[in-house]
Amino acid sequence: MDEEIPLISFGVIADVQYADTEDGYNFSKTRKRYYRTALKMLDKAIQAWNDDTIKLPQFILQLGDVIDGKNKGLQISESSLDTVLDSFSKFSGNVYHIWGNHEFYNFSREDLMQSKLFSGNDKFCFPMPGKCYYSCIPHPKIRILALDTYEISSLACTENSEGYKKACEYLIHNTNKDQNSCDGLPGLMRRYVRYNGAVSDEQLDWIQNNLEEARILEQNVVIIGHCGVLPEATDNSCLCWNSPDILQLIDEYADCVMCYFSGHDHYGGLACGKGNVLHIAFPGVLENNLDSDFGTVYVYKDRMWLQGNGRVLSLTLPLKFNLSKELHQVDE
């Protein structure tokens, strides 16, 4: 696209959901899932990033659900996670993970905090103590906020915990016997299903504090969360329970927020919110057996270019704050 060399680049991928089992279907039996092929598609993405001739990506944003819930029933959760992490280990840079519902089908929060899926030990990351949400500053003019959209959840919180009790308060809106079903729920009410979750008031304060600091430092902010927050960009059934609260903060700080990247909606989606903030739900890798669904983001002095592969669309978005050519990634 451009002979100019990007100042930084990174990869984005969502919903690999690998399992060593036969192909199956989604919850509503409308779309096929290729559990073993998903690993091959992940390997294809890793190879493409390692062979990138425009600029070798410095890191990957992994948007959750690296293995499928089927692994739990097959009693192969640990080995399947090891298999996927082995594929990611072939990437030459860092991998920043967030967790989706399928992580919690397989593991407890405590187990995940002790696993290699916890990104808080990376030197560019700044996690809240005891939490799995974190900020990351890979470049002086770029800040990444990695959210925990299952901080309040009936999947991720132990019974009788405060988070579990609050999750039950959200799910009271869903009167279906199976609360993974949104049958009969109208419009935005469809988000009140068990496979979604919410962020806490404490996490909302953390988001606001980071955005305020980013505004002062003139940093371009990329926010990632497994569940989406903008209805126009993802199916209503894949929205965070308190997405309006998150979206209100994004709109308030649209002068520094570039984009919100999510997974969860395997079909994918894209829309611009207030202040030209881009919201993208990246399509799920496990539902494409023809090509690998991933994106590579190249950040130039004045713009961000997303080069899509598979079902991921390509587009260009102006930066909120220009990057100086003198500023390069730390330890590039």
Side-chain angles (χ1 to χ4, degrees), residues 57-130:
Q58 285 87 345
F59 57 91
I60 296 171
L61 299 180
Q62 190 280 111
L63 303 181
D65 286 0
V66 288
I67 62 172
D68 193 84
K70 285 184 176 290
N71 289 286
K72 183 70 171 180
L74 296 169
Q75 298 183 333
I76 54 173
S77 298
E78 290 81 4
S79 61
S80 292
L81 179 59
D82 287 342
T83 298
V84 170
L85 289 175
D86 182 62
S87 289
F88 276 111
S89 72
K90 298 171 185 174
F91 175 63
S92 57
N94 298 326
V95 182
Y96 299 127
H97 300 281
I98 54 174
W99 306 335
N101 49 309
H102 282 264
E103 271 77 28
F104 293 111
Y105 294 151
N106 285 280
F107 302 104
S108 69
R109 181 177 294 277
E110 290 72 21
D111 289 338
L112 289 169
M113 292 286 286
Q114 299 299 319
S115 76
K116 292 181 181 179
L117 283 180
F118 178 62
S119 298
N121 298 323
D122 185 272
K123 64 181 178 179
F124 297 119
C125 291
F126 306 93
M128 284 291 289

Side-chain angles (χ1 to χ4, degrees), residues 26-324:
N26 63 342
F27 181 79
S28 58
K29 311 298 182 185
T30 56
R31 295 203 299 269
K32 197 166 185 179
R33 294 183 168 181
Y34 307 94
Y35 297 106
R36 292 192 179 107
T37 304
L39 186 68
K40 298 177 182 178
M41 295 302 176
L42 171 60
D43 288 337
K44 183 176 180 179
I46 297 294
Q47 189 64 53
W49 286 321
N50 284 335
D51 292 343
D52 197 306
T53 58
I54 298 175
K55 184 174 180 65
L56 187 68
Q58 285 87 345
F59 57 91
I60 296 171
L61 299 180
Q62 190 280 111
L63 303 181
D65 286 0
V66 288
I67 62 172
D68 193 84
K70 285 184 176 290
N71 289 286
K72 183 70 171 180
L74 296 169
Q75 298 183 333
I76 54 173
S77 298
E78 290 81 4
S79 61
S80 292
L81 179 59
D82 287 342
T83 298
V84 170
L85 289 175
D86 182 62
S87 289
F88 276 111
S89 72
K90 298 171 185 174
F91 175 63
S92 57
N94 298 326
V95 182
Y96 299 127
H97 300 281
I98 54 174
W99 306 335
N101 49 309
H102 282 264
E103 271 77 28
F104 293 111
Y105 294 151
N106 285 280
F107 302 104
S108 69
R109 181 177 294 277
E110 290 72 21
D111 289 338
L112 289 169
M113 292 286 286
Q114 299 299 319
S115 76
K116 292 181 181 179
L117 283 180
F118 178 62
S119 298
N121 298 323
D122 185 272
K123 64 181 178 179
F124 297 119
C125 291
F126 306 93
M128 284 291 289
K131 305 292 185 179
C132 68
Y133 53 87
Y134 58 93
S135 62
C136 179
I137 303 178
H139 183 284
K141 289 296 181 182
I142 296 175
R143 180 179 298 230
I144 297 165
L145 300 185
L147 308 189
D148 176 8
T149 58
Y150 292 87
E151 188 180 14
I152 296 172
S153 163
S154 60
L155 297 174
C157 300
T158 56
E159 288 191 34
N160 300 320
S161 68
E162 194 62 32
Y164 187 91
K165 292 175 184 177
K166 289 182 178 179
C168 291
E169 292 175 9
Y170 281 107
L171 288 173
I172 201 170
H173 297 292
N174 188 334
T175 58
N176 289 316
K177 184 176 181 180
D178 182 356
Q179 290 188 311
N180 280 312
S181 171
C182 56
D183 288 348
L185 298 177
L188 294 176
M189 295 288 287
R190 289 168 60 84
R191 72 184 187 273
Y192 295 119
V193 284
R194 192 167 182 262
Y195 55 76
N196 293 333
V199 305
S200 66
D201 289 342
E202 181 184 10
Q203 189 174 170
L204 286 171
D205 289 341
W206 174 85
I207 295 170
Q208 183 169 18
N209 291 338
N210 269 272
L211 293 179
E212 185 66 35
E213 189 172 280
R215 173 184 280 170
I216 293 170
L217 296 175
E218 296 188 343
Q219 292 173 329
N220 300 279
V221 179
V222 175
I223 304 178
I224 60 175
H226 187 66
C227 297
V229 296
L230 183 70
E232 292 81 4
T234 191
D235 191 88
N236 289 337
S237 65
C238 295
L239 289 167
C240 187
W241 290 336
N242 58 346
S243 53
D245 298 327
I246 301 171
L247 192 58
Q248 182 178 346
L249 284 175
I250 292 174
D251 292 346
E252 182 181 346
Y253 290 90
D255 55 332
C256 63
V257 178
M258 288 287 299
C259 48
Y260 184 99
F261 292 158
S262 63
H264 206 28
D265 183 346
H266 295 173
Y267 189 75
L270 181 154
C272 268
K274 292 182 180 179
N276 204 32
V277 176
L278 180 67
H279 292 254
I280 299 180
F282 279 75
V285 169
L286 87 159
E287 290 190 6
N288 188 350
N289 68 335
L290 300 177
D291 203 353
S292 183
D293 297 322
F294 65 90
T296 308
V297 176
Y298 302 97
V299 185
Y300 295 86
K301 181 178 66 173
D302 58 352
R303 67 198 183 280
M304 181 180 82
W305 172 38
L306 169 63
Q307 182 185 54
N309 195 82
R311 293 177 294 164
V312 178
L313 298 177
S314 298
L315 54 86
T316 300
L317 194 67
L319 291 180
K320 301 301 174 78
F321 303 107
N322 281 7
L323 273 62
S324 168

